[in-house]
């Protein structure tokens, strides 16, 4: 297996997506400066509705408008001001990426919520999560797949020399699979979605995207095999939540790329951020336990924060990205 097996250069680091603040020009400049090998399109949820991961992703839906109602996104009869705001915010972000990454020829990562997480967080017009209606979930997935295909094509037009890597955020997927998504009353939960059905839904997006796809899920029970068999080229996870090594070893053996969340997403309670060498030692130790060749580590693994950085201070967010890139550099040193 060589470095060309994954859509990023050896020794790469990236961010999960979200960043603190509201100044997209400044934040995108920081991302491009600190993560030259694998920058990402910055998300700034601090700007409010439409910049949050659900509202932003709902803006990609084709022929399926949404609106805000009592603080939640729900299916709407027609597009309105809430959806226009989401579109406007995304357009500003893309304009900054286009301007600041002009001439970029590496890999750039973009992010959106996955279909299961979207179904668990968007309501039907009549009430209740989309998740309650399998037909609605399939319609949502088809709509999302079409919208993300267009989004990838748009980024590709803006950065014609770049390779686009699409990340699907699926934080709700473990709860969806376990039947733990609560109903509105809170006294019961929606029926669990079968693993095979979830795989089929993810596969629809993977097949439509026309770009290599990574799935991000920061949960203790990351379904690595589900993501791999759905066609993802990589999975992003929180290293602190990994307790079983065998599934991880099987994923590496199968050729699944790993975006390893190894940098705390907020400053630790001690007030001291871990050094790049400390983080690199953790990753090397894990890799050593799994028994794979050291040179393969920097090829197959991308270093990231444990999750999005929206909850961090601007100063720490920059430190986290710097540490991630320096950690990746150290892991590249054999």
């Amino acid at each position: 297996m060589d470095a060309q097996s994954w859509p990023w250069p050896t020794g790469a680091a990236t961010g999960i997506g979200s960043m603190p603040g509201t100044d997209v020009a400044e934040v995108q400049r920081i991302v491009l400066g600190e993560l030259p090998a694998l920058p990402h399109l910055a998300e700034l949820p601090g700007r409010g509705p439409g910049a949050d991961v659900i509202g932003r992703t709902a803006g990609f839906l084709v022929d399926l408008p949404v609106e805000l109602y009592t603080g939640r996104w729900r299916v709407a009869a027609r597009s309105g001001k809430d959806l226009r705001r989401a579109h406007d915010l995304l357009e500003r972000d893309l304009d900054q990426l286009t301007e600041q990454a002009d001439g970029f020829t590496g890999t750039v990562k973009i992010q959106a919520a996955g279909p299961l997480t979207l179904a668990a967080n968007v309501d039907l017009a009549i009430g209740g999560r989309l998740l309650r209606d399998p037909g609605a979930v399939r319609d949502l997935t088809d709509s999302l797949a079409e919208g993300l295909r267009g989004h990838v094509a748009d980024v590709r037009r803006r950065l014609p020399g770049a390779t686009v890597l699409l990340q699907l955020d699926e934080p709700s997927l473990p709860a969806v699979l376990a039947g733990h998504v609560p109903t509105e009353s809170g006294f019961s939960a929606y029926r669990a979605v079968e693993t095979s059905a979830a795989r089929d839904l993810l596969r629809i997006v993977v097949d439509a995207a026309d770009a290599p796809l990574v799935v991000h899920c920061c949960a203790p029970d990351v379904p690595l095999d589900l993501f791999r068999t759905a066609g993802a080229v990589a999975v992003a996870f929180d290293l602190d939540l990994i307790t079983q090594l065998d599934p991880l070893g099987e994923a590496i053996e199968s050729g699944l790329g790993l975006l390893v969340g190894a940098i705390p997403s907020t400053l630790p309670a001690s007030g001291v951020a871990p050094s790049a060498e400390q983080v690199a030692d953790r990753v090397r130790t894990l890799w050593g336990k799994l028994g794979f060749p050291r040179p393969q580590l920097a090829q197959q693994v991308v270093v990231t924060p444990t999750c999005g950085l929206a909850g961090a201070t601007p100063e720490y967010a920059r430190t986290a990205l710097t540490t991630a890139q320096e950690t990746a550099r150290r892991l590249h040193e054999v």
Side-chain angles (χ1 to χ4, degrees):
M1 187 174 292
D2 56 38
Q4 298 304 310
S5 299
W6 299 281
W8 52 72
T10 300
T14 193
I16 291 300
S18 68
M19 293 285 289
T22 58
D23 186 344
V24 65
E26 173 64 10
V27 171
Q28 194 62 63
R29 183 186 66 79
I30 291 171
V31 168
L32 288 164
E34 301 297 336
L35 303 170
L38 184 53
H40 65 282
L41 177 63
E43 301 170 347
L44 276 64
R47 293 175 296 180
D52 61 294
V53 66
I54 299 302
R56 187 180 182 93
T57 303
F60 294 127
L61 297 174
V62 176
D63 296 328
L64 189 60
V66 296
E67 63 184 1
L68 275 172
Y69 179 75
T70 63
R72 290 187 54 84
W73 291 94
R74 71 173 183 181
V75 175
R78 61 186 64 85
S79 296
K81 62 181 178 60
D82 299 323
L83 202 52
R84 287 195 297 272
R85 174 176 167 78
H87 289 158
D88 288 346
L89 288 169
L90 176 63
E91 189 69 16
R92 293 179 206 170
D93 296 350
L94 288 170
D95 286 347
Q96 282 299 321
L97 179 67
T98 304
E99 177 182 339
Q100 297 192 37
D102 183 40
F104 182 74
T105 57
T107 300
V108 62
K109 182 169 69 69
I110 57 178
Q111 305 84 216
L116 281 309
T117 290
L118 206 58
N121 288 276
V122 174
D123 292 349
L124 293 160
I126 60 174
R129 309 290 188 264
L130 270 161
L131 192 62
R132 68 187 287 185
D133 183 343
V137 174
R138 176 56 187 262
D139 290 344
L140 173 79
T141 302
D142 289 340
S143 175
L144 177 63
E146 184 177 350
L148 289 179
R149 181 172 59 238
H151 181 42
V152 168
D154 183 23
V155 174
R156 204 171 270 140
R157 284 191 297 269
R158 291 167 178 267
L159 302 176
T163 297
V164 179
L165 178 64
L166 174 62
Q167 174 182 303
L168 289 184
D169 293 314
E170 282 286 10
S172 299
L173 182 57
V176 169
L177 295 175
H180 292 164
V181 177
T183 60
E184 295 64 46
S185 69
F187 296 116
S188 60
Y190 291 104
R191 181 180 301 176
V193 172
E194 295 292 334
T195 298
S196 59
R199 180 184 298 110
D200 291 344
L201 293 169
L202 287 170
R203 171 64 77 174
I204 290 171
V205 179
V206 170
D207 289 345
D210 190 30
L213 190 143
V214 53
V215 184
H216 168 233
C217 183
C218 47
D221 46 354
V222 179
L224 296 168
D225 191 60
L226 187 161
F227 296 152
R228 180 186 63 80
T229 55
V233 301
V235 60
F237 59 89
D238 182 343
L239 181 58
D240 291 334
L241 299 179
I242 294 297
T243 58
Q244 299 182 17
L245 297 186
D246 286 347
L248 189 59
E250 292 168 3
I252 295 171
E253 184 67 33
S254 72
L256 194 67
L258 305 179
L259 275 64
V260 178
I263 317 295
S265 57
T266 57
L267 185 66
S270 66
V272 179
S275 69
E277 186 54 38
Q278 288 173 325
V279 178
D281 278 344
R282 286 188 65 210
V283 178
R284 290 191 199 104
T285 298
L286 174 65
W287 195 262
K289 289 179 179 178
L290 294 169
F292 292 97
R294 178 66 67 83
Q296 187 178 331
L297 168 57
Q299 298 171 4
Q300 195 163 354
V301 168
V302 173
V303 180
T304 77
T306 55
C307 203
L309 296 169
T313 64
E315 295 76 19
Y316 178 75
R318 186 166 192 165
T319 295
L321 298 186
T322 303
T323 303
Q325 185 59 59
E326 178 60 20
T327 299
R329 186 188 68 79
R330 289 171 183 264
L331 295 176
H332 190 15
E333 298 172 347
V334 180

